[in-house]
Amino acid sequence: MYRDHTKTISIGNVAVGGGNPVLIQSMTNTRTEDVEATVKQILALERAGCEIIRCAVPTMQAAEAIERIKPKIHIPLVADIHFDHRLAVAAIEHGADKIRINPGNIGSEERVRAVVSCARERGIPIRVGVNSGSLEKELVEKYHGVTAEGIVESALDKVGIIEDLGYDNLVISIKSSDVMMCVAAHELLAQKTQYPLHVGITEAGTVTSGNIKSAIGLGLILHQGIGDTIRVSLTGDPVEEIKSARLILRTLGLRKGGIEVVSCPTCGRTRIDLIGLANQVEKMVEDIPLDIKVAVMGCAVNGPGEAKEADIGIAGGLGEGLLIRKGEIVKKVPEDQLLATLREELLNWGQA
């Protein structure tokens, strides 16, 4: 497994790489200069399960705001910098736990050296990020278009710039909106470096399309043992990114904890509002700290059998439903009491 052999990097109070658990990242979409709004969003992301947060730093005011944001949050903060090396230096000086730069757009070697020198002085890791959309013209020409090989060569070139300055406290990120190109690029890169890799499908799209692309791309990459941190990039509420990332990791067996809800598709036998009920159950279990599987079935005929692999479940009938444990019917209750009955069972789980 590649991730077992990557270099261990400390980002604030967490460690990535070296076989440590794959951590979930997101990025704020507030103006970083607005400390109150940014802190509010980060705290919401923390509650959802975010473990590393990235904030855009397009201005000096944003860099300075980091110092006021940090004491009010509980997870490492990564400063996202483009073009202006002074912002990277300022972000580090104001308490960023990691910075994200592309050495190719920071400017001269002298400017990159200033950033690296400041990072080295404070022991701050640098995430070297390369995006297929900004691949250098010479690499596009060399590989006759934007390719996985070109993305990897670009990333390693940028890493080499920092390594030549004597610094190797690095994380690499290569992204593409082309899912299969992104997968191929990570497969190539994992064979060529031991730095931790941050994985994501960039510009994935809205919640629906973005989730599908991310699940396929991240699933293929992570299942090969590649990837030390992840972000599900969605055009929407960042909290949705965390929910999706947790489910991807849990589905792949890379994360435990939290209730898994399974539900059957509707069919002609369904006599209850199964869609509404399943959504209510999924929302309800978010605050219940159990590591079990809950089934929501729409048919009292097949429900018990279909729910056998779940720890507990409910199955609806005409105006009533069944409470099921390990495939065994426990009791029958009116339809309007199914949700409350299930919640009571979950809150008392393990006490019997």
Side-chain angles (χ1 to χ4, degrees):
M1 299 289 279
Y2 292 103
R3 74 174 59 91
D4 292 346
H5 304 290
T6 53
K7 179 181 174 69
T8 302
I9 299 292
S10 294
I11 304 171
N13 60 356
V14 303
V16 301
N20 281 293
V22 178
L23 297 185
I24 298 170
Q25 295 194 27
S26 185
M27 188 171 183
T28 54
N29 58 17
T30 58
R31 286 177 55 84
T32 307
E33 298 89 338
D34 187 340
V35 172
E36 183 179 354
T38 301
V39 167
K40 181 180 179 181
Q41 187 171 75
I42 294 173
L43 293 179
L45 287 164
E46 286 182 11
R47 289 191 293 272
C50 184
E51 293 157 319
I52 300 173
I53 189 64
R54 182 159 51 111
C55 298
V57 180
T59 65
M60 193 58 71
Q61 291 74 23
E64 293 166 354
I66 292 172
E67 192 168 347
R68 289 178 286 147
I69 294 169
K70 280 290 299 297
K72 300 177 181 180
I73 66 174
H74 313 90
I75 57 178
L77 187 151
V78 181
D80 190 271
I81 317 292
H82 286 282
F83 307 116
D84 193 338
H85 78 288
R86 293 170 299 180
L87 297 178
V89 171
I92 295 171
E93 291 176 342
H94 286 282
D97 296 297
K98 183 174 78 169
I99 59 168
R100 186 270 191 189
I101 63 170
N102 181 338
N105 69 30
I106 285 292
S108 66
E109 181 183 333
E110 182 181 352
R111 292 177 177 179
V112 176
R113 186 184 298 275
V115 175
V116 171
S117 176
C118 188
R120 180 189 292 112
E121 181 182 329
R122 300 189 180 224
I124 300 301
I126 297 174
R127 170 179 151 187
V128 178
V130 172
N131 191 312
S132 63
S134 56
L135 196 62
E136 296 92 321
K137 182 180 178 181
E138 56 268 27
L139 289 175
V140 174
E141 292 175 352
K142 176 179 178 180
Y143 291 103
H144 307 291
V146 178
T147 65
E149 291 80 5
I151 295 170
V152 170
E153 183 171 333
S154 177
L156 294 178
D157 283 347
K158 305 304 180 297
V159 167
I161 291 171
I162 297 176
E163 287 179 327
D164 288 345
L165 294 172
Y167 201 57
D168 65 354
N169 193 3
L170 306 175
V171 175
I172 304 176
S173 171
I174 52 173
K175 291 191 176 182
S176 173
S177 57
D178 183 314
V179 174
M180 299 314 295
M181 182 187 297
C182 199
V183 172
H186 281 86
E187 291 170 348
L188 284 173
L189 183 61
Q191 299 174 44
K192 295 175 179 289
T193 185
Q194 288 191 315
Y195 290 118
L197 303 182
H198 171 69
V199 182
I201 307 299
T202 194
E203 301 164 2
T206 58
V207 172
T208 299
S209 62
N211 271 327
I212 292 171
K213 290 179 182 178
S214 294
I216 292 171
L218 291 175
L220 289 170
I221 293 167
L222 291 168
H223 188 58
Q224 296 182 74
I226 301 168
D228 302 278
T229 63
I230 64 168
R231 179 190 177 191
V232 175
S233 298
L234 301 176
T235 306
D237 185 343
V239 169
E240 295 298 323
E241 298 185 354
I242 307 306
K243 294 178 181 178
S244 300
R246 290 180 63 184
L247 186 53
I248 289 170
L249 290 178
R250 195 166 61 198
T251 302
L252 291 167
L254 295 172
R255 183 67 63 96
K256 293 188 180 298
I259 293 176
E260 179 185 359
V261 178
V262 297
S263 57
C264 66
T266 57
C267 74
R269 288 190 300 271
T270 306
R271 292 294 181 268
I272 61 169
D273 177 17
L274 180 63
I275 296 172
L277 184 60
N279 283 316
Q280 288 181 76
V281 171
E282 197 165 65
K283 182 69 176 175
M284 179 188 73
V285 301
E286 287 179 357
D287 66 343
I288 302 177
L290 295 174
D291 184 14
I292 62 173
K293 182 181 289 188
V294 173
V296 183
M297 299 298 165
C299 169
V301 176
N302 293 331
E306 293 173 341
K308 261 184 182 174
E309 294 183 4
D311 296 282
I312 191 167
I314 50 177
L318 182 59
E320 59 187 16
L322 304 175
L323 178 70
I324 304 160
R325 287 199 205 104
K326 298 290 186 181
E328 299 295 326
I329 297 173
V330 177
K331 60 181 173 181
K332 183 184 295 185
V333 297
E335 179 183 342
D336 61 3
Q337 295 179 25
L338 269 175
L339 194 66
T341 300
L342 177 61
R343 182 171 179 82
E344 183 180 0
E345 287 289 320
L346 292 173
L347 292 177
N348 293 319
W349 189 261
Q351 296 180 16

